[in-house]
Amino acid sequence: MFSNYLIGLREGLEASLVVCILIAYLVKTDRRDALKPIWVGIAVAITLAFGFGCALEFGSQELTFQAQEALGGSLSILAVGLVTWMVFWMRRTARHLKSELHGRLDAALAMGTGALVATAFLAVGREGLETALFVWASVHAASDGTPRPLLGVALGLLTAVLLGWLFYRGALRINLAKFFTWTGGMLVVVAAGVLAYGIHDLQEADFLPGLTDKAFDISGTIPPDSWYGTLLKGILNFQPDPTTLQVAVWLLYLIPTLALFLAPTRTTAKAAVRDGA
């Protein structure tokens, strides 16, 4: 549940910040007449993301077991790729997100209503589609027959909306660069689990070999239906009897990706040198 809460919070907060920046800029520049097209674009983006998530969920139910596993595995890998790109992009641009959005909004204001709708739609829609895909993949991986994964996502999104509102009201100030770095690092760990589960799906679909080649089996020590087994699965997508290929892919993704993500950026290095001087 925690991993899904983190996904909802992390992805939802990005969208909330985008909305807050767009609306605050229009209010401060006395362009309240442009708020309606912005809200229209946001509503269309949310509807599209919700529809995309429903299509993934209900569309996959009509497939055969093998096709479901192949689809689930493929989309899990795609979701991990998109989320990995997103966390690196946000880490690089978090400091300049406001000025970037302001520039896009100025250009849209000069072009008219349609451009405003498109700006809001593109800004929020990208986050919405990524969120829908990764949430579906994560819930699919962590599914235990209960609504807890979806509840975790919903609570994360509600928390993100609340934090966005507090940002807009000026009641909350945090270092966004550090926030997105820490939550991004945790999301990389979650993504590694989703990737391993996607590999397992492809093995069950006979797209990849090695389904019976277990790296280890500690089901007796950590039963999947125990409270701690459920907790580990909910947080890390932990599986007590992974295949050798799952473990190899998990390590090959997690170690270099996390090391690269947490490595000091060029901007951070320059700041450290400047402070030392």
Side-chain angles (χ1 to χ4, degrees), residues 43 64-65 89 97 101 111 113 120 127 151 153 173 186 190 218 222 254 262 273:
T64 64
F65 172 77
W89 177 83
L97 181 62
L101 288 173
M111 296 175 66
T113 301
E127 304 292 345
L151 179 61
V153 173
R173 293 183 181 277
M186 289 188 286
V190 173
I218 54 174
I222 306 179
L254 180 64
L262 296 178
V273 171

Side-chain angles (χ1 to χ4, degrees), residues 149-254:
L150 287 176
L151 179 61
V153 173
L155 290 175
L157 290 173
L158 289 174
T159 304
V161 171
L162 175 61
L163 290 176
W165 181 78
L166 291 174
F167 275 119
Y168 177 76
R169 302 298 299 178
L172 183 64
R173 293 183 181 277
I174 63 173
N175 187 317
L176 290 179
K178 289 185 177 180
F179 174 84
F180 283 122
T181 295
W182 284 105
T183 56
M186 289 188 286
L187 205 56
V188 167
V189 176
V190 173
V194 172
L195 179 60
Y197 194 90
I199 294 298
H200 186 265
D201 278 352
L202 292 178
Q203 288 180 308
E204 289 195 324
D206 291 330
F207 272 56
L208 292 175
L211 181 61
T212 59
D213 183 15
K214 301 294 183 182
F216 54 82
D217 188 348
I218 54 174
S219 302
T221 305
I222 306 179
D225 56 352
S226 63
W227 68 266
Y228 45 92
T230 303
L231 182 64
L232 287 172
K233 183 176 178 62
I235 297 177
L236 301 174
N237 289 311
F238 173 78
Q239 184 179 336
D241 57 343
T243 65
T244 301
L245 183 58
Q246 279 183 275
V247 174
V249 170
W250 186 83
L251 290 171
L252 288 173
Y253 169 82
L254 180 64

Side-chain angles (χ1 to χ4, degrees), residues 2 13 24 33 54 74 80 105 112 118 130 135 137 141 146 149 153 156 188-189 205 207 211 235 252 254 258:
F2 174 76
L13 187 57
D33 57 301
C54 289
S74 301
V80 169
L105 197 52
E130 286 179 357
V135 163
T146 71
V153 173
V188 167
V189 176
F207 272 56
L211 181 61
I235 297 177
L252 288 173
L254 180 64
L258 199 57

Side-chain angles (χ1 to χ4, degrees), residues 83-128:
V83 167
T84 303
W85 173 83
M86 177 272 297
V87 294
F88 276 95
W89 177 83
M90 180 54 73
R91 179 172 179 259
R92 185 177 66 252
T93 61
R95 300 176 186 273
H96 314 292
L97 181 62
K98 182 182 291 187
S99 59
E100 181 178 327
L101 288 173
H102 286 176
R104 293 182 185 178
L105 197 52
D106 284 335
L109 285 168
M111 296 175 66
T113 301
L116 287 171
V117 174
T119 298
F121 171 76
L122 293 174
V124 178
R126 180 181 63 82
E127 304 292 345

